Amino acid sequence: MDGMCTHGPTDSARRSALFLLERFHRRLLPGVLRRIGAWKGIPPQQLNDLQEDVLQELHVDCLEHPGEVTSMSPRQRHARWMQLSERTVYRLRRHLRRCSALPDDCTAKDVEPSQGAATPPMPPLVTLCNGRANVAASAKAAGLGRRAMRGQLDRIAAQLGWDDRERRFWTRRAAEALTALAADALRASGVTEAPPRSPAPDPVTIRARLRRLAQRFPVQPATSRVRRALQPWLRRRRADPAPADLLRDATELAPDLAAGWLWLFEVHDANADHASAAAALRRASRCLDRPRSWLLLARSRLLQQRGRPRVAARMLRRASARRDPDGRLTRAVVSVTA
């Protein structure tokens, strides 16, 4: 069991890279974004909206290339992250411009052929009172089947910039926001065990972000899951779903992100559902961004609850002897054996 969480030097390098990024975030990133905004004429509010996505891309860089990040000099590392921030802002703004007219709202004149790609002709659309396309009526008017009609609209959406890569990117952002909102609710209810690098509690900002994300996804079969998960934030004066429901949606949308599974473990553990807690922990252990020490502490807690405190203490001793930079595992051994 203990071996499942051992990453070798890679895990240590990731922690070091994330520590360096935290310093860059506090000291330099706000100024970097202000300069990008002044240079490209980005309004302050839009720049604030983009900051979360820029920081996310920098975190991904640390997790995917920890060796490169930690081996660079501070000047080289800062230049790398400044360039990545600029590229991320450029890509996000280009996406916003190209996808401002989504398939349900576009007309034939909105679709321009790109080089080397044939753009399918835009069929005549029958619209509903709210402006969205009535796919069944449009398909009938064009003499097409409903599936063929949807396929044609999907190809036009890809021409406008909404392809599988963009869909996956924004789906992950939605999963992170759902996890953050659930984490805030669990903290408020007294669940204090928090995975490292979990989102900071800021429910007002998170809800506003969920509303923006809910409006971003076009009506397509491929977006049905994420649109269903974000539907509550398109309705005013409605209470948030329960944390467990938020986390089930988050882990369904992004099963490779550890934070959602770790918080779901907390929910099941608080409800004394040890089988479900163990299943959530197993899923978290398969994620690349899994935090080693937190997984070990969670496994130790499960072992204690199953009446095996000696096994838990032995596991923590072995792990702390190999690597325990902040002393968390050593302190946990004392609490288990007390």
Side-chain angles (χ1 to χ4, degrees):
M1 181 187 301
D2 185 38
M4 291 175 62
C5 294
T6 305
H7 306 176
T10 302
D11 189 62
S12 176
R14 282 175 177 156
R15 287 199 304 274
S16 299
L18 289 165
F19 174 75
L20 294 170
L21 175 59
E22 180 60 29
R23 296 177 61 185
F24 177 82
H25 175 209
R26 290 196 313 267
R27 300 178 183 179
L28 296 177
L29 185 59
V32 170
L33 292 177
R34 282 195 299 271
R35 287 193 293 273
I36 294 174
W39 178 32
K40 295 187 176 293
I42 304 174
Q45 181 58 47
Q46 187 181 23
L47 200 62
N48 289 337
D49 294 343
L50 296 173
Q51 180 171 340
E52 297 176 32
D53 296 306
V54 169
L55 188 58
Q56 175 65 28
E57 289 301 298
L58 297 180
H59 274 92
V60 171
D61 185 49
C62 289
L63 295 173
E64 291 185 346
H65 310 104
E68 294 179 35
V69 168
T70 54
S71 64
M72 290 178 170
S73 68
R75 182 182 294 273
Q76 292 172 325
R77 186 166 52 249
H78 295 164
R80 173 194 183 98
W81 285 339
M82 289 176 186
Q83 291 172 1
L84 180 55
S85 299
E86 183 180 341
R87 287 199 303 270
T88 302
V89 169
Y90 171 78
R91 179 166 60 85
L92 291 172
R93 294 190 74 222
R94 182 183 63 177
H95 169 82
L96 290 173
R97 288 195 301 269
R98 295 180 68 185
C99 293
S100 58
L102 292 174
D104 290 335
D105 306 312
C106 65
T107 59
K109 61 183 177 61
D110 295 318
V111 184
E112 298 179 0
S114 58
Q115 292 182 353
T119 305
M122 185 66 186
L125 294 182
V126 178
T127 58
L128 301 169
C129 295
N130 61 7
R132 290 193 178 277
N134 184 327
V135 175
S138 299
K140 184 177 180 180
L144 298 172
R146 187 179 300 190
R147 179 174 296 182
M149 184 70 177
R150 283 205 174 275
Q152 197 158 345
L153 292 176
D154 288 350
R155 288 191 293 274
I156 292 170
Q159 290 289 330
L160 291 171
W162 185 264
D163 54 15
D164 287 344
R165 180 179 177 183
E166 292 293 331
R167 177 177 55 80
R168 287 193 298 269
F169 176 85
W170 290 110
T171 299
R172 287 172 68 87
R173 304 293 84 80
E176 290 160 358
L178 292 169
T179 300
L181 191 61
D184 176 75
L186 291 172
R187 288 187 182 101
S189 65
V191 177
T192 56
E193 288 287 347
R197 303 188 300 277
S198 58
D202 186 4
V204 175
T205 301
I206 296 168
R207 291 188 189 100
R209 180 164 174 73
L210 285 166
R211 280 194 294 273
R212 293 195 300 271
L213 287 166
Q215 296 165 357
R216 183 179 297 277
F217 292 91
V219 178
Q220 296 174 310
T223 64
S224 60
R225 284 193 307 172
V226 65
R227 284 187 290 109
R228 184 169 59 250
L230 297 176
Q231 186 65 30
W233 290 275
L234 290 176
R235 303 169 184 170
R236 299 290 181 179
R237 298 182 181 179
R238 177 168 175 170
D240 295 333
D245 295 331
L246 292 171
L247 292 169
R248 289 189 189 98
D249 285 335
T251 51
E252 183 182 5
L253 296 176
D256 59 332
L257 296 180
W261 294 111
L262 293 175
W263 279 110
L264 194 57
F265 164 83
E266 291 291 345
V267 172
H268 293 316
D269 185 61
N271 294 330
D273 185 352
H274 304 319
S276 297
L281 207 55
R282 283 195 297 272
R283 295 298 300 267
S285 70
R286 300 171 192 164
C287 300
L288 292 177
D289 62 339
R290 59 192 185 265
R292 171 182 177 270
S293 61
W294 199 90
L295 280 170
L296 287 167
L297 292 171
R299 283 178 175 150
S300 167
R301 204 189 321 168
L302 277 179
L303 287 169
Q304 291 178 71
Q305 291 165 352
R306 290 172 172 173
R308 305 174 67 189
R310 292 183 180 179
V311 177
R314 193 161 55 245
M315 178 188 70
L316 291 173
R317 282 196 198 94
R318 288 200 306 268
S320 62
R322 285 198 295 270
R323 188 168 62 255
D324 188 20
D326 54 6
R328 296 179 70 202
L329 301 180
T330 302
R331 292 193 297 272
V333 172
V334 175
S335 67
V336 170
T337 55

